[in-house]
Amino acid sequence: MAEQLVYNAKSNVYGVLYHSEGNITTMKCPNCSAEASESAKFCSECGFLLKDKQAAKIFDMSSPHAYTPHHIAEEILSNKSVMEGERKQVTVLFADVSGFTSISGRLDPEDVHKIMDGTFHILTETIHKYQGTINQFTGDGIMALFGAPLAIEGNADKACQAALEIQHLVGHYALKLSDRFGIDFKMRIGLNTGLVFVGSIGDDLRMDYTALGDTTNLASRLEGMATPGSILVSAFTYKRAKNDFIFKEAVQAKVKGKEASVDIYELLDRRKTSTKITERQVTSVLVGRDKELSILEEQVRKGIGGEGCIVNIIGEAGIGKSRLKVELTKLLIAKETKILEGRATTIDRGTSYYPLISLLRRWAEIRGDDGAETASLKLESAVRNICREETYEIFPFIATLMGMELKDEYAERVAGIVGEALENIIAKHVSELIIHISEIKPLVLIIEDLHWADESTFKLLEFLYRAATGRRIVFINLLRPAYEERDKHILRVEEESSLPVTTITLHPLDGDSSALLIDKLLHVKGLPTKLKDMIVERSGGNPFFIEEVLRSILDEGGVRVAADGQFEVTDKIDNVFIPYTINDVLMSRFDRLDDQTKEIVKVASVIGRSFFHRVLTEILEDGRDIESDLSYLKSIQILDERRRIGEVEYFFKHALAQEVAYQSIIIERRKALHLSVAKAIESIFRDRLSEFYGT
C-alpha cells in the first residue's frame, strides 16, 4: 500500500492518500497524519486548516500524469508516435538546488520537504507556462523538454524565458526562506538545444518520458557547471536565442565526455527589442504579392470612407502575411489612418483577451519595463486624451481588462461587478474607446496570429465588430489555415456582425517569383542557377523557407563569394541541414494532426517527395479509409495531387516537409518502412520494375 502526499482538487483538501490497488481508501491530515474527511475544513486532531488556499499543493511525483496539465496529457496519450518514440529538435532544461545536501543536513526533513514542494511549484508552473513538459524530477531539481513530446515553435526562446522567470521567482522565494530558516537558497540551470530521441517507458502516463542523446548530456553538464543563481547555455541554444536575449561573452571550457572545448554562454536577460537583422542583411522583401496588396489597400480605402469591414489574411507560416501588413503601412493611404497592432502568442494563450491587451498597451505606449504605476498612468492619460469627460466611466474597465490594480474612485466604480456582467461592461467600454479613436482618425486594427487567440478574445471581437458597423474602422486579421476550433469561433463572430468580410489567401510563390526573391535577399547577383533551383525546390515557394534555407547555406559555408565577386558553391553544400526555424514550424504542424493522419504523413515521407496512392495503401495494410485524410492534407497545403503514368500520385508541396517528417522517424522503424515500400512496389508494379530502380 503506497503513501503519497497530494492535493485533492475536487474537494480542495490537502492530505495524505493511501492507495489500495489504485483506489483511494483513506485521506490523512498532512500535519499530524490523523484521518480526515474530504469534506472537513479542519483536522479534528490538530486543527490544521485543510482548505488553506495559501498552503502549497503537495506534489505526487510518482508519474508524469500527476504533474502534467490535463490538456497536454490528453494530447500525448492520443499521439501514438509520441508514445512509440520520435527524433525531435528540442531544448533541454536542467535545474537543481545549489548546495542541497548541505541544506538537507541542517534542517528537519519535514522542513526540507516543504521547501522543495514550494520550489517544485515554481518550476512546474513556469515550465508549463512556456509550453515545456516536465520530463522527470531529479530529487532536488527537474529535467524539462521544450519541443517534446509535442513540437513548439521557438523552443529555445521559450526555454530561455522560462529559465529567467524561474530564477526571478526563486529569488523572491529565497528571501522568505532566508528569513525563516537562515539558508542561502539558489538554483543552477543549464540549457542545450539539439536532436534527441524522445519516447516513453510504461503504460498510459504511468511512465517516464525519455530524451536520450548528446543534447541531453550536455544540458546536464552545463547545469552542473553553473554557479548558484546563474543560467548557462550551449552555443546551439545561444545561436537560436541571441536575437531576443542578452548573454555574457562566450568562454571556452572542457566538458566531461567532450574531447574538444565547447563555447558556453551565460544567459542574463531578455532584450527589450529584438535584433533580427544579421550581418549578411538577408531580410525578407515583398515579391509576387501586388494583387493581394491592392485588395488590402482597397479595403482600407473603404474603411476611410466609413464602410467598416473585416479582412482575413490567411496563409501558412512564413508565406508572407506579416510582410503584406508591413507593406500596407508604407502606403500613402496608411498615413490617413491610425494603425493599432496586437498579437496572439502561444505563450499567452492562457491570458484572456491577450491580443487586444497587447494592442492597447501599444496604443498607450506602455513599455515592457514600465512599472505598474507608470503603466496605469500612461493608460489613464491615453484614455483621457481621447474620451475627455467619459474617462471616469471608460478607464477603470479598460484597466481591469488589462489586469491593472485600481485605486480610490476607479476601484469603487468596478466594485461588486463580476462574472458575465463585468465582461459585458468591459466589452461595451472597449467598443466606445475604439469608436472615439476612429472619430478622430480612421482606425485600422491589426491582430497577428489570431489562430492562437482564446475564446474570450473572440467574444470581445464580436462586440467590436458590431460597434464598427458604419464606422471608419477596419479589422485586419492574420491567421493560419486549418485551426478547426478557431475557425468555428471566427465564423460565429463574423455571422453575428453585419460587417462585410474579405478573405485574402496567400499561396506559395511561383518559380520565377521565388528566384527573384533570392536575388533581392542577397542584394548580389551571380548565385549559381543550379543552387538557386535547389533552394526554390526545397522551399516550395514559401518566402520564409527560402530566406531560412539561404541563411543556412551561408552560415554553413555552402557558398562563398569568389575573388571576382560572384558566388561559388563549396563542398560544404551537402552538409547543410534543415534550418531549425523551419523544422519547428513543420513539426508543430505535424503534431497537431490526429494520429492516423500523422501516420500517413510519416509513411508517405519514407516513400519519397512523391508517392503513388496504391503504394501508400499497400503499406498501411489495415484497409482503413484514408481518402478523407489525404483530402485534409491537401486542404492544409501539405500535399497535392496529380496523375502520372496512369496512376494517382500525391506529392509533398514542400520538399522540406517531407524531410522533416522523415527525420522524425526513429531509425529502426525507418528501416522497416523502407522494406515495406520496396515490397509494395514489387507487388504493385511487378511488370514495370525497371521504372522504379532508382526508388
Side-chain angles (χ1 to χ4, degrees), residues 340-345 348-368 375 379 382 397-404 426 430 433-434 445-448 450 453-454 456-458 460-461 464:
L340 298 179
E341 298 183 43
R343 177 190 291 272
T345 69
D348 296 291
R349 276 189 291 181
T351 303
S352 297
Y353 310 111
Y354 183 78
L356 293 164
I357 291 173
S358 68
L359 182 148
L360 290 168
R361 287 181 66 89
R362 290 189 183 187
W363 168 69
E365 298 182 0
I366 297 172
R367 293 157 44 97
L379 179 64
F397 294 100
I398 303 296
T400 299
L401 168 77
M402 298 174 68
M404 295 180 177
I426 286 174
V430 173
L433 176 63
I434 70 161
L445 299 174
I446 301 174
I447 298 181
E448 290 205 58
L450 187 62
D454 70 316
S456 68
T457 298
F458 290 106
L460 184 49
L461 282 175
L464 300 184

Side-chain angles (χ1 to χ4, degrees), residues 590 592-603 624 626 628-630 632-633 636 638:
F590 294 151
R592 289 200 311 273
L593 300 174
D594 64 62
D595 193 49
Q596 177 171 299
T597 309
K598 187 177 180 182
E599 175 73 2
I600 289 172
V601 170
K602 287 191 171 186
V603 172
R624 72 179 86 166
I626 64 171
S628 61
D629 294 317
L630 291 170
Y632 177 70
L633 290 169
I636 62 174
I638 289 178

Side-chain angles (χ1 to χ4, degrees), residues 17-28:
L17 298 185
Y18 286 85
H19 293 259
S20 177
E21 296 182 358
N23 297 317
I24 297 173
T25 58
T26 311
M27 172 170 275
K28 292 198 172 188

Side-chain angles (χ1 to χ4, degrees), residues 587-644:
M587 275 308 303
S588 64
R589 289 191 74 189
F590 294 151
D591 278 352
R592 289 200 311 273
L593 300 174
D594 64 62
D595 193 49
Q596 177 171 299
T597 309
K598 187 177 180 182
E599 175 73 2
I600 289 172
V601 170
K602 287 191 171 186
V603 172
S605 75
V606 175
I607 304 173
R609 171 79 187 277
S610 61
F611 55 93
F612 290 116
H613 182 277
R614 284 205 289 162
V615 174
L616 180 65
T617 53
E618 178 79 9
I619 296 169
L620 294 172
E621 284 185 343
D622 52 9
R624 72 179 86 166
D625 178 16
I626 64 171
E627 304 311 314
S628 61
D629 294 317
L630 291 170
S631 296
Y632 177 70
L633 290 169
K634 284 171 57 182
S635 72
I636 62 174
Q637 300 184 28
I638 289 178
L639 299 180
D640 211 340
E641 178 185 354
R642 64 192 173 201
R643 292 193 69 85
R644 187 167 71 87

Side-chain angles (χ1 to χ4, degrees), residues 240-261:
R240 291 193 181 199
K242 64 182 179 180
N243 293 318
D244 294 301
F245 295 87
I246 301 170
F247 298 86
K248 263 190 183 178
E249 191 172 340
V251 296
Q252 285 201 331
K254 290 292 294 182
V255 176
K256 185 177 179 181
K258 297 278 188 183
E259 290 186 9
S261 296

Side-chain angles (χ1 to χ4, degrees), residues 274-423:
S274 180
T275 58
K276 297 200 174 187
I277 301 296
T278 73
E279 62 277 9
R280 297 182 310 281
Q281 293 297 302
V282 179
T283 54
S284 58
V285 294
L286 189 73
V287 170
R289 302 295 189 210
D290 293 342
K291 178 182 177 182
E292 291 85 353
L293 184 58
S294 294
I295 295 172
L296 187 57
E297 181 181 6
E298 179 60 25
Q299 296 307 307
V300 173
R301 197 177 299 281
K302 288 180 179 179
I304 291 174
E307 299 179 43
C309 61
I310 302 168
V311 182
N312 292 325
I313 304 176
I314 301 177
E316 63 184 60
I319 204 68
K321 303 183 294 296
S322 295
R323 175 54 58 187
L324 191 64
K325 175 209 72 175
V326 170
E327 293 302 317
L328 171 68
T329 63
K330 294 178 181 178
L331 297 177
L332 286 176
I333 195 170
K335 311 303 179 186
E336 303 175 31
T337 68
K338 175 69 174 178
I339 298 178
L340 298 179
E341 298 183 43
R343 177 190 291 272
T345 69
T346 55
I347 290 177
D348 296 291
R349 276 189 291 181
T351 303
S352 297
Y353 310 111
Y354 183 78
L356 293 164
I357 291 173
S358 68
L359 182 148
L360 290 168
R361 287 181 66 89
R362 290 189 183 187
W363 168 69
E365 298 182 0
I366 297 172
R367 293 157 44 97
D369 55 354
D370 283 338
E373 186 174 351
T374 300
S376 181
L377 289 172
K378 283 186 174 182
L379 179 64
E380 182 182 7
S381 176
V383 172
R384 191 176 300 280
N385 287 338
I386 298 295
C387 302
R388 306 296 180 186
E389 64 274 5
E390 295 178 63
T391 301
Y392 172 73
E393 278 295 319
I394 293 177
F395 167 72
F397 294 100
I398 303 296
T400 299
L401 168 77
M402 298 174 68
M404 295 180 177
E405 184 178 351
L406 296 170
K407 297 179 181 178
D408 304 327
E409 60 179 356
Y410 290 137
E412 292 175 8
R413 180 67 188 88
V414 301
I417 308 175
V418 296
E420 188 175 352
L422 180 61
E423 291 180 5

